[in-house]
Amino acid sequence: MKIAVYPGSFDPITNGHLDILNRACALFDKVIVLVATNPNKSSNFSTEERVEMIKESTKGNKKVEVTSDSGLTVEFAKKRKATHLIRGLRAVSDFEYEFQLASANEFIDPKIDTVFLMARGDKTFISSSSIITMAKQGIDVSKLVPSSVLKRLK
Ligand code: ADP
């Protein structure tokens, strides 16, 4: 059984995240979505809300498990016998941060490898923060987030 962990803030989850998740499901037997919590970082939604929104939007997908953790992603992956981490890449601006993160994770444990999936062309502009900004301005974001998020933005 091939297991991957898809870690992120998911604050909140977007259709960009869900697209990466669905494509990761085609590559692995199980994908654990990990809401990584950082007590030093302020967030739009609580950890519980973020987990709940992801659970609601992935209901029916038997390959997906959703949970949260405050520790190191690599340690979590090892504990859950996962072999790979999933990350998404949008613009070149994502690359530097993602490359550094993947390298740090490789330093911690080279046996856990990171798989990158490119954002779909129509989803490259979607980010959690842009969703919040647009929703606050009254822009209709119903095509950009699942209904579990939409109802909580209102
Ligand atoms: P983090 O704070 O760990 O970057 P995010 O929730 O912002 O958490 O993102 C998690 C992962 O999903 C990152 O690898 C990010 O690049 C990717 N991602 C975010 N939005 C999109 C999108 N629209 N298309 C593809 N990948 C995305």
Side-chain angles (χ1 to χ4, degrees), residues 128-142:
S128 300
S129 56
S130 69
I131 294 294
I132 297 291
T133 306
M134 287 192 271
K136 275 186 181 155
Q137 296 298 324
I139 307 286
D140 177 11
V141 293
S142 57

Side-chain angles (χ1 to χ4, degrees), residues 6 8-10 16-17 20 87-88 90 94 98 119 123 126:
Y6 181 21
S9 309
F10 305 106
H17 290 127
I20 297 291
R87 295 288 287 178
R90 284 162 296 187
D94 275 346
E98 293 292 342
K123 300 198 167 55
I126 309 175

Side-chain angles (χ1 to χ4, degrees), residues 34-87:
L34 178 67
V35 176
T37 61
N38 181 350
N40 299 321
K41 217 167 127 184
S42 70
S43 61
N44 303 306
F45 293 95
S46 70
T47 303
E48 294 69 29
E49 281 176 309
R50 284 182 268 162
V51 167
E52 197 48 44
M53 287 186 281
I54 302 169
K55 279 187 177 166
E56 281 177 35
S57 60
T58 57
K59 213 187 270 169
N61 187 339
K62 291 191 175 69
K63 285 190 171 184
V64 174
E65 181 188 322
V66 188
T67 189
S68 64
D69 193 61
S70 58
L72 281 174
T73 302
V74 170
E75 296 302 331
F76 174 88
K78 278 202 279 196
K79 215 162 45 199
R80 295 300 310 271
K81 304 214 174 347
T83 53
H84 293 81
L85 304 180
I86 306 287
R87 295 288 287 178

